[in-house]
Amino acid sequence: MISRRDFLAAGAALASVGGVRRAAAAQAITQAQLLEFAPLGQVTLLHITDLHAQLLPMNFREPSVNIGVGEAGGRPPHLTDAAFRKFFAIADRSPEAFALTSDDFVALAREYGRMGGLDRIATLVAAIRAERGADRVALLDGGDTWQGSWTALQTKGGDMAACMALLKPDAMVGHFEFTYGQDRLQELAKAQAFPFLASNILDEWKEPVFPDRRMMVRGGVKIAVIGQAFPFTPIANPRWLMPDWNFGIQEELLRANVAAARAEGASVVVLLSHNGYDVDRKLAGRVAGIDVILSAHTHDAMPRPELIGTTLLVASGCYGKFLTRIDLDVQGGKIAGWRHRLIPVFADAITPDPTMAAEIARHRAPYLADLGRVLGRTQGVLYRRGNLAGTFDDLICDAMLAERDAEIALSPGFRWGASLLPGQDITAEDVYAATAITYPACYRTSMTGAQLHDVLEDVADNLFNPDPYYQQGGEMARLGGVGYRLDPNAAMGRRITDMVLLRTGAPLDPTRSYRVAGWASINQTVEGPPIWDVVSAHLRANPEIRPTDRSNVKLVGA
Amino acid sequence: MGETGQISRRNLLVTGGALLAFGPTRADAAASDAEITRILAGRTAKVTGLTLDVPSIAENGLVVPVNLSVASPMTATDYVRAIHLIAPENPIPLVASFRFTPASGRAATSMRMRLAQTQTIVAIAELSNNDVLIAQAEVKVTIGGCGG
């Protein structure tokens, strides 16, 4: 096991570059340092997740608000900034502070440069396979890989599948992958050299739609990898895109699959999960026999795994910012020791893998002219991630209010979406990276104040229900034109109060009808232009964006 | 339900009430109370042995899958006579009553039910020795969206 001392030593090695200029950072953080790892035992698991089709290095600001409710309150991953750094003993202004926390994001981004890039990840994966021997390594993709960019949307996930194939993953699971429609998903899944796993998806005859697990031998050890799709996909995303499949957490199926894997001789049982961190933590305490849960969906990056009973709970962040390596020492059919590292993918420090770089370029080439169109410029940081609000979503809401002549705008609380730095051009590609979904129509409707309140209460319960099994949602829906008070710890129906129409300062009238614009509706019959056209039109009219912290949501009791 | 213990009708209703207190007004609280009272017939139900398997969040409130089962030998002297399913917030709370005999072989059934809104579903099993088993589970019916 990695000790706290080892961890601090590793952190200190990276922290020593604090204060250097970006130009020097490439030398100060080296590829060799990022790969530094004292190998242990026979097996290495590599985990990458929630890439959201980000083939190139980019900036991704971690949340400054990440509220845990119930048992999750006040413990990681529901810690941010100074509290997060204190818990994990991360030095201020260090590379890991930049990678994992949000305050000082702009200054540190200029210092340490972009993160991620599939060509950089390919280099790291190849190096680890070479060091360990490929027959000891399993590379597992936690899903939300094939969606999130314009090229992925245009190729219906094809570009991502082609690039990921070069990494040779051993299994993957999914969430937004299903929003290409169940037929396309099946087509892509069947074309891969590795299984697309889902222990928790059944058809109308209660038959499994996908393989539930993959048995493999690594380093002479029999390993079972069981897959878990995002359990609430047909609720959080449009049901009509996957009409014949039932999801859910399906604990009983999982127990049966764990038992079957053990019966087939697995010494190590891994759950490749897209449940989300809090759901996985609860599940770890209820489903016995899982050695490692590779968690995804909630985009949490944990520098150390959490141990729930005898189950290691691992979270590897998102957007290609991190690659997790876990070495396992297996003795007598059991895990006798483990070592873990959340490897930050500092793009400037890693030599891109030329084969992957060429493949990425090949898929981007037909779209480059469109992607590179400059639509505007931002004077402040644009970001999305956070429980309550994000400046990129403010921009999207402003666009809907202006372009769709609405009093109120509703934008989904997605956890993906890249960040832009002050002074940076806003390109078409940046807008797509925040909006590229298969149900993008920007609708216009009327809702009463009471209906809006109900919607917000529903969304809040999907995020702040104290029982993680009842949390199906993303972050809070973003509102344009309306402010409100939020008490996450209140009961359903009482979390949202004091809703105010910001333009007039008047309380929202429960009985009055308001003109509302929104996008990403899960209903099938939605009309309106795609949201990226709405945002582009707004930027043409207002090319200089000045993001501010609007604080339209007053947080109480948390 | 993993815990062993006893739950009275009153406790059950109190628990249910707490969960539902902030939802819309109960469709017909008296109707579901009456159904439960009628089935219990003065007996105290045990909170063990009856498996009520429902999704935590309904994918579609119109067709919510339900699996009900009791681990019973189903012999002439030891069998499950009936399993009842109650959705207190539905206009007609008693969703179904399944009758079994030893010839049924297994005390298990599956169905789909319509749920008007988020609520705590109640299942009650009656055994041949006059014991009663009870299980509850909350099913959330949400407008969905915003996932991700």
Side-chain angles (χ1 to χ4, degrees):
Chain A
M1 286 199 187
I2 191 164
S3 68
R4 190 177 142 76
R5 203 169 139 267
D6 290 339
F7 180 81
L8 290 175
L14 284 171
S16 61
V17 301
V20 298
R21 303 291 303 171
R22 181 181 170 181
Q27 283 96 48
I29 312 171
T30 65
Q31 186 171 314
Q33 279 174 350
L34 296 175
L35 285 163
E36 220 163 68
F37 195 105
L40 178 77
Q42 313 94 314
V43 179
T44 292
L45 304 177
L46 297 179
H47 183 227
I48 178 174
T49 191
D50 292 272
L51 194 61
H52 283 287
Q54 299 303 301
L55 292 169
L56 303 183
M58 45 78 241
N59 284 305
F60 184 93
R61 180 189 182 273
E62 296 295 324
S64 52
V65 179
N66 187 357
I67 302 160
V69 285
E71 289 180 11
R75 57 197 280 193
H78 298 282
L79 297 174
T80 56
D81 296 336
F84 188 99
R85 291 193 295 274
K86 183 167 180 230
F87 188 94
F88 289 109
I90 294 168
D92 290 355
R93 302 187 57 79
S94 65
E96 292 196 333
F98 168 58
L100 292 160
T101 57
S102 77
D103 45 356
D104 223 6
F105 171 73
V106 172
L108 296 183
R110 299 198 196 288
E111 207 162 292
Y112 296 119
R114 297 182 182 220
M115 297 190 71
L118 204 58
D119 49 6
R120 270 72 166 188
I121 292 167
T123 297
L124 297 180
V125 169
I128 293 166
R129 281 190 173 128
E131 173 218 316
R132 281 291 264 172
D135 64 333
R136 290 172 179 263
V137 178
L139 172 64
L140 301 167
D141 175 355
D144 269 350
T145 303
W146 294 344
Q147 171 276 342
S149 73
W150 185 247
T151 56
L153 186 65
Q154 297 309 302
T155 59
K156 298 186 171 62
D159 68 329
M160 290 309 300
C163 290
M164 287 301 294
L166 295 181
L167 276 190
K168 296 189 169 54
D170 292 287
M172 82 175 282
V173 294
H175 169 205
F176 265 94
E177 283 80 3
F178 298 103
T179 63
Y180 290 120
Q182 62 185 37
D183 294 342
R184 172 60 174 164
L185 193 270
Q186 282 282 28
E187 179 189 20
L188 272 181
K190 284 175 180 166
Q192 305 311 310
F194 55 87
F196 186 98
L197 301 175
S199 157
N200 61 330
I201 301 180
L202 301 177
D203 66 15
E204 56 189 315
W205 306 106
K206 298 191 178 181
E207 296 290 334
V209 179
F210 299 95
D212 46 58
R213 65 185 181 278
R214 175 172 182 186
M215 304 293 291
M216 56 181 100
V217 176
R218 291 292 181 276
V221 175
K222 204 166 201 180
I223 301 169
V225 176
I226 302 173
Q228 181 90 348
F230 179 51
F232 306 119
T233 303
I235 304 164
N237 307 90
R239 173 86 192 154
W240 59 271
L241 289 165
M242 62 226 67
D244 298 334
W245 299 344
N246 296 307
F247 292 61
I249 296 169
Q250 307 283 7
E251 278 188 354
E252 285 303 319
L253 279 176
L254 188 54
R255 286 191 188 99
N257 283 321
V258 171
R262 293 288 183 194
E264 287 170 37
S267 297
V268 176
V269 173
V270 177
L271 182 66
L272 182 59
S273 165
H274 206 94
N275 280 334
Y277 195 87
D278 293 344
V279 173
D280 278 325
R281 183 198 274 131
K282 177 173 174 180
L283 184 140
R286 293 171 56 89
V287 177
I290 303 172
D291 296 303
V292 180
I293 298 180
L294 300 174
S295 190
H297 180 60
T298 38
H299 291 196
D300 303 300
M302 293 273 281
R304 279 198 304 268
E306 189 173 352
L307 200 57
I308 311 289
T310 58
T311 303
L312 273 178
L313 185 50
V314 174
S316 305
C318 69
Y319 257 51
K321 283 179 73 173
F322 303 98
L323 172 70
T324 289
R325 171 174 175 176
I326 310 159
D327 279 15
L328 301 175
D329 181 27
V330 182
Q331 303 294 339
K334 283 187 177 161
I335 295 179
W338 54 271
R339 190 167 289 148
H340 164 277
R341 186 174 178 194
L342 179 73
I343 303 171
V345 182
F346 286 103
D348 291 350
I350 302 166
T351 309
D353 176 88
T355 311
M356 182 68 86
E359 185 72 1
I360 292 169
R362 188 171 76 81
H363 289 283
R364 288 174 55 80
Y367 307 98
L368 273 184
D370 181 37
L371 295 174
R373 283 183 298 126
V374 175
L375 304 173
R377 213 170 72 96
T378 182
Q379 295 184 3
V381 61
L382 288 178
Y383 67 93
R384 172 177 278 156
R385 183 77 213 280
N387 280 166
L388 307 179
T391 49
F392 211 118
D393 290 317
D394 289 340
L395 167 61
I396 294 172
C397 285
D398 287 351
M400 286 191 283
L401 292 176
E403 297 295 319
R404 302 290 282 156
D405 185 28
E407 294 168 283
I408 296 170
L410 277 171
S411 192
F414 291 141
R415 293 186 176 89
W416 46 272
S419 307
L420 300 186
L421 300 179
Q424 202 173 330
D425 284 339
I426 305 169
T427 64
E429 179 161 29
D430 298 326
V431 172
Y432 295 139
T435 57
I437 58 172
T438 55
Y439 45 109
C442 181
Y443 60 84
R444 199 162 175 279
T445 187
S446 58
M447 292 172 84
T448 64
Q451 284 174 321
L452 271 161
H453 181 258
D454 285 349
V455 167
L456 268 200
E457 285 286 355
D458 203 75
V459 173
D461 194 63
N462 287 331
L463 179 60
F464 298 122
N465 191 303
D467 183 342
Y469 279 17
Y470 293 89
Q471 297 170 0
Q472 66 88 7
E475 313 278 23
M476 280 304 293
R478 282 39 170 145
L479 259 67
V482 170
Y484 63 92
R485 285 163 73 90
L486 169 71
D487 181 353
N489 294 305
M492 167 93 176
R494 296 192 170 182
R495 292 190 179 96
I496 310 290
T497 54
D498 299 345
M499 291 179 76
V500 171
L501 193 65
L502 294 169
R503 186 167 48 81
T504 61
L508 221 58
D509 181 345
T511 59
R512 209 202 106 185
S513 253
Y514 295 88
R515 292 191 309 280
V516 176
W519 65 289
S521 167
I522 56 172
N523 298 319
Q524 188 165 7
T525 51
V526 182
E527 291 178 8
I531 186 66
W532 46 82
D533 282 354
V534 175
V535 176
S536 299
H538 180 64
L539 282 169
R540 266 195 297 278
N542 308 272
E544 282 289 319
I545 299 300
R546 296 171 191 81
T548 53
D549 175 14
R550 297 182 181 182
S551 303
N552 291 339
V553 183
K554 305 267 185 276
L555 194 60
V556 291
Chain B
M1 309 291 287
E3 306 137 54
T4 304
Q6 298 213 315
I7 189 165
S8 69
R9 193 186 80 86
R10 194 167 149 273
N11 284 340
L12 171 73
L13 293 176
V14 167
T15 313
L19 284 168
L20 297 164
F22 306 118
T25 316
R26 297 181 68 171
D28 189 351
S32 69
D33 292 358
E35 290 294 355
I36 293 169
T37 305
R38 183 184 61 75
I39 295 164
L40 291 181
R43 296 169 291 187
T44 303
K46 295 177 182 166
V47 189
T48 183
L50 170 58
T51 302
L52 166 61
D53 178 20
V54 286
S56 57
I57 309 177
E59 291 183 4
N60 179 352
L62 299 176
V63 280
V64 180
V66 188
N67 298 310
L68 293 158
S69 62
V70 179
S72 165
M74 296 302 274
T75 60
T77 53
D78 183 1
Y79 65 97
V80 176
R81 289 207 314 251
I83 302 179
H84 310 277
L85 184 65
I86 296 146
E89 300 298 317
N90 278 13
I92 302 169
L94 181 63
V95 177
S97 287
F98 298 92
R99 308 286 168 185
F100 299 88
T101 73
S104 304
R106 284 192 321 138
T109 187
S110 296
M111 63 173 293
R112 289 169 189 269
M113 65 177 164
R114 179 172 178 168
L115 289 184
Q117 64 187 65
T118 298
Q119 55 187 295
T120 298
I121 306 303
V122 181
I124 302 174
E126 296 184 83
L127 310 191
S128 55
N129 66 0
N130 216 29
D131 277 0
V132 191
L133 315 179
I134 197 161
Q136 314 180 65
E138 187 185 11
V139 180
K140 181 152 109 175
V141 179
T142 172
I143 53 172
C146 290

